[in-house]
Amino acid sequence: MRAIIFDWDGTLADTLGLMYLATEEVAASLGHHLTWGDYCRLWTPDWRALYRSMGMPDEIIEEAGRRWWAAYRGRDEADLLPGAADALERLHVAGHPLALVTAGHRDNVSAQLRRHGLERLLPVRVHGDDMPETKPHPAPLR
């Protein structure tokens, strides 16, 4: 094993509720209603597929994505999931190289990493705005 790679949202950070609030805001701004139950049922890491499953036409999907980042940006109040920091520390002490690959944007995730003191534990990071392809495309992992 050459490294252990983690995701951020929903794996290390408890961001699902914050992601829902941003998605609900975007849906409402585009004339769609989204409940928590709908979100849990429809959620997929492919955000475009999420908006399509809500019935949004393809011509507004990219606009929905831009609105989502505007709604979500700066929401760094998420807590870590229980045991996440301890697990990273134990893996680091054991000598395992650790990395982060996330669809989250660098400015947002970096602020959260700093706030939780995890920067040193995840020295290699690929963010959603670092390359043309984003998760779930395999390119960021490669």
Side-chain angles (χ1 to χ4, degrees), residues 8-9 13-25 36 39 68 71-79 108 112 115-116:
W8 182 250
D9 294 296
D14 188 8
T15 56
L16 187 60
L18 297 171
M19 292 167 60
Y20 163 69
L21 292 174
T23 306
E24 179 189 42
E25 181 180 319
W36 173 252
Y39 185 71
W68 190 90
Y72 188 73
R73 193 169 302 282
R75 292 189 176 178
D76 63 349
E77 63 267 19
D79 291 325
N108 192 39
Q112 293 178 43
R115 186 168 63 82
H116 291 295

Side-chain angles (χ1 to χ4, degrees), residues 2 22 30 32 76 80-81 85 89 96 115 126 128 132 137 142:
R2 294 185 297 168
L30 294 169
H32 293 263
D76 63 349
L80 294 177
L81 286 165
E89 185 65 41
H96 297 289
R115 186 168 63 82
V126 178
H137 193 283
R142 290 184 184 137

Side-chain angles (χ1 to χ4, degrees), residues 84-85 88-90 92-93 96-99 117-125:
L88 290 173
E89 185 65 41
R90 285 193 316 271
H92 173 74
V93 167
H96 297 289
L98 305 177
L118 299 179
E119 290 177 297
R120 69 180 178 80
L121 298 176
L122 297 162
V124 176
R125 299 177 214 130

Side-chain angles (χ1 to χ4, degrees), residues 45-47 134-141:
D46 182 344
W47 62 269
T134 62
K135 289 174 32 182
H137 193 283
L141 287 168

Side-chain angles (χ1 to χ4, degrees), residues 23-45:
T23 306
E24 179 189 42
E25 181 180 319
V26 169
S29 76
L30 294 169
H32 293 263
H33 178 71
L34 181 70
T35 67
W36 173 252
D38 292 336
Y39 185 71
C40 292
R41 183 174 47 80
L42 299 172
W43 190 88
T44 171

